[in-house]
Amino acid sequence: QVQLVESGGGLVQAGGSLRLSCGASGRTYRNYAMGWFRQAPGKERDFVAAINWSRSTTYYADSVKGRFTISRDNAKNTVYLQMNSLILEDTAVYYCALRSSEVASTASTSYDYWGQGTQVTVSS
């Protein structure tokens, strides 16, 4: 029904920057929130950032506040994650997710659709 495709991952040195994109296609809801999550091998999937439909509300994990910025272009059905000052601990597979609600959420269980993930590797 809804397909999400992430792009922009790759290898970057610590202190560098990277911008992830996630495009939604298929049947999208009228007003939907979007989020970014990440998962390292052997660890749980962690919340990173979320944004509501109107862009009036954003949430960030404490570990990325001040370094990451979530944004969206509703006309393009695309959400972005700008990552600056990257550190080794940011290494993970990053997933975008869509929630069939206009209200943003930090809980992975509240999202209805997920992308395939894109690998981000930060090197020293």
Side-chain angles (χ1 to χ4, degrees):
Q1 190 69 28
V2 176
Q3 297 82 44
L4 304 176
V5 180
E6 302 98 332
S7 62
L11 177 64
V12 63
Q13 287 188 321
S17 298
L18 208 60
R19 191 180 82 151
L20 306 183
S21 299
C22 176
S25 62
R27 196 271 188 188
T28 56
Y29 299 90
R30 179 177 296 175
N31 302 312
Y32 58 91
M34 295 287 292
W36 286 96
F37 296 79
R38 65 187 183 185
Q39 186 171 27
K43 297 186 177 181
E44 296 182 342
R45 185 170 298 184
D46 294 327
F47 168 76
V48 177
I51 186 168
N52 72 341
W53 168 258
S54 66
R55 302 182 296 177
S56 62
T57 301
T58 57
Y59 298 123
Y60 294 96
D62 289 341
S63 58
V64 306
K65 285 181 179 177
R67 300 190 298 117
F68 290 10
T69 302
I70 187 171
S71 62
R72 67 190 298 167
D73 184 338
N74 290 347
K76 297 181 178 179
N77 288 323
T78 301
V79 64
Y80 306 94
L81 185 68
Q82 178 66 46
M83 305 184 293
N84 298 327
S85 302
L86 286 162
I87 60 177
L88 294 179
E89 290 77 11
D90 294 322
T91 295
V93 176
Y94 284 70
Y95 299 89
C96 72
L98 182 152
R99 187 186 186 209
S100 56
S101 169
E102 65 181 2
V103 179
S105 173
T106 63
S108 62
T109 53
S110 69
Y111 288 83
D112 302 297
Y113 299 94
W114 294 82
Q116 82 290 346
T118 185
Q119 177 71 49
V120 172
T121 303
V122 183
S123 64
S124 61

